[in-house]
């Protein structure tokens, strides 16, 4: 379930409820791959490459959506994907079956902020284009810290607003499109991460033109 909600932000960010998120992704499920999948392709591949390079086999993909990333994972990884959208998950399950992706162990309908997994269930957790869609992004970070083993990796790919510079101007120019596209030009790193997180995070700009960034944390 990746960021196409179209909800406007109010203050630091709007509170989105699960029912509205599910309804939005139900509408976008069939067309998602053809438009957002293309725009986000490079950042998605970079995130999966980082997952593949990380130690450990057990991987949680949060907001697995239609399963665009699933064929990119190493066969040595064991993937569990979760999403709030039943319609998105149906497409992901079809993809797994059609492509014979035996490294995908489970695709489950689940709230990323309150999963049913036990503590330390995974070696790696990755959330791609999800941060600005969940009701409470800091709760998402806390939940992924809970389900990842100590020493494991937690990765996020998302758009995070800049404070200045040419990308800041691009974000503002695109702001009128935020409602239909789910583009939140004022969603910043500090809306999601505490200062302690940012102090130890590795942050990498992704193409196109740095609109997406990859944030890597060690549990």
């Amino acid at each position: 379930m990746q960021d196409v909600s179209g909800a406007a932000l109010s203050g630091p960010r709007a509170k989105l409820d699960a029912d509205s998120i599910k309804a939005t992704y139900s509408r976008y499920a069939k067309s998602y791959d053809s438009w957002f999948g293309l725009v986000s392709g490079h950042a998605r591949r970079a995130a999966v490459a980082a997952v593949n390079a990380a130690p450990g086999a057990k991987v949680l993909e949060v907001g697995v959506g239609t399963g665009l990333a699933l064929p990119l994972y190493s066969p040595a990884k064991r993937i569990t994907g979760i999403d709030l959208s039943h319609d998105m998950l149906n497409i992901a399950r079809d993809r797994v079956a059609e492509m014979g992706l035996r490294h995908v162990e489970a695709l489950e309908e689940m709230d990323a902020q309150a999963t049913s997994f036990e503590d330390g269930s995974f070696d790696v957790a990755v959330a791609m284009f999800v941060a600005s869609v969940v009701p409470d992004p800091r709760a998402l970070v806390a939940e992924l810290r809970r389900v990842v083993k100590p020493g494991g990796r937690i990765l996020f790919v998302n758009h995070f607003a800049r404070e200045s510079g040419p990308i800041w101007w691009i974000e503002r120019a695109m702001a009128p499109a935020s409602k239909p596209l789910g583009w939140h030009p004022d969603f910043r790193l500090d809306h999601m991460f505490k200062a302690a997180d940012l102090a130890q995070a590795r942050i990498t700009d992704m193409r196109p033109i740095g609109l997406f960034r990859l944030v890597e944390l060690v549990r």
Side-chain angles (χ1 to χ4, degrees):
M1 180 191 63
Q2 295 145 343
D3 185 4
V4 292
S5 73
L9 290 176
S10 175
R13 74 180 314 279
K15 295 298 184 181
L16 307 176
D17 64 81
D19 288 342
S20 66
I21 292 171
K22 288 180 181 180
T24 297
Y25 283 94
S26 178
R27 293 195 302 271
Y28 280 106
K30 292 183 179 179
S31 62
Y32 178 85
D33 290 4
S34 62
W35 59 278
F36 190 75
L38 180 63
V39 172
S40 60
H42 175 79
R44 178 178 290 104
R45 290 190 295 273
V48 175
V51 171
N52 288 341
K58 295 281 290 182
V59 176
L60 173 65
E61 184 181 336
V62 174
V64 68
T66 62
L68 278 171
L70 295 176
L72 305 176
Y73 291 104
S74 164
K77 301 296 186 184
R78 314 313 301 168
I79 312 300
T80 296
I82 64 171
D83 206 285
L84 265 182
S85 171
H86 179 77
D87 296 284
M88 289 277 201
L89 284 170
N90 281 341
I91 295 173
R93 292 180 181 117
D94 289 343
R95 190 187 303 274
V96 168
E98 290 167 5
M99 299 185 71
L101 302 178
R102 288 182 285 182
H103 60 291
V104 179
E105 293 191 328
L107 294 172
E108 301 184 28
E109 189 172 336
M110 196 178 296
D111 184 347
Q113 297 180 182
T115 73
S116 60
F117 303 118
E118 295 183 0
D119 294 359
S121 294
F122 299 95
D123 301 300
V124 184
V126 58
M128 294 182 249
F129 317 108
V130 172
S132 49
V133 130
V134 297
D136 185 347
R138 290 199 174 190
L140 172 62
V141 177
E143 180 66 358
L144 297 193
R145 283 191 176 281
R146 184 186 72 78
V147 301
V148 169
K149 298 174 183 177
R153 300 296 192 273
I154 304 171
L155 301 95
F156 300 91
V157 169
N158 210 76
H159 164 254
F160 295 102
R162 307 302 178 113
E163 299 298 330
S164 61
I167 294 175
W168 183 90
W169 287 106
I170 292 170
E171 290 168 349
R172 292 323 181 259
M174 296 180 70
S178 64
K179 187 170 182 61
L181 296 179
W183 188 268
H184 302 321
D186 56 348
F187 183 71
R188 302 192 312 270
L189 284 163
D190 62 3
H191 289 157
M192 181 170 189
F193 301 106
K194 298 178 181 178
D197 293 326
L198 293 174
Q200 63 103 12
R202 187 167 84 173
I203 302 173
T204 308
D205 289 347
M206 301 281 101
R207 295 200 305 263
I209 59 173
L211 289 175
F212 299 118
R213 285 189 271 182
L214 173 63
V215 180
E216 301 179 65
L217 304 172
V218 177
R219 162 72 167 86

